[in-house]
Amino acid sequence: MATVPEVFTPLCRCGLAPETVTHVVLRCPEEDAARAALESRLAPRRLPTAGIMLRWLLARHRLPEFRLAVEIGDEMRLEDNGDSAD
Ligand SMILES: [Zn+2]
């Protein structure tokens, strides 16, 4: 069923499984309430959901390894938008 590649990570804070994207987004019982809010944000749209899910994960302080990728992406966007004004 999983379509997101599993990456080895330490055990989730719930203690039931490794803290993978699949576990946190779909199964972790500690995220039941937050998951309901996420589903209401995703329901009206089909795409792009990846960005919404990533921001949700970061806001939940989960999978911190993704934060570096977001920071690098933000820096690259700033550099692209900040073309030299000279
Ligand atoms: Zn969990």
Side-chain angles (χ1 to χ4, degrees), residues 5-7 15 17 20 34 38 40 43-45 48 50 52 56 59 67 71-72 82:
E6 296 289 330
V7 177
T20 62
L38 173 65
S40 72
R45 63 186 90 199
I52 293 171
W56 181 85
R67 188 169 300 278
E71 289 173 3
I72 291 171

Side-chain angles (χ1 to χ4, degrees), residues 1-78:
M1 174 200 163
T3 56
V4 177
E6 296 289 330
V7 177
F8 177 78
T9 58
L11 197 62
C12 180
R13 66 181 72 153
C14 72
L16 299 175
E19 188 179 48
T20 62
V21 172
T22 300
H23 172 76
V24 172
V25 173
L26 300 178
R27 301 184 186 117
C28 183
E30 293 203 359
E31 301 297 352
D32 284 347
R35 185 177 302 112
L38 173 65
E39 287 171 357
S40 72
R41 290 180 63 197
L42 295 176
R45 63 186 90 199
R46 299 197 185 280
L47 291 174
T49 57
I52 293 171
M53 290 179 61
L54 180 56
R55 283 191 290 277
W56 181 85
L57 282 167
L58 294 175
R60 306 295 307 152
H61 303 288
R62 297 302 195 109
L63 301 156
E65 61 269 27
F66 286 102
R67 188 169 300 278
L68 178 60
V70 171
E71 289 173 3
I72 291 171
D74 287 346
E75 287 177 14
M76 291 175 72
R77 269 190 296 281
L78 285 175

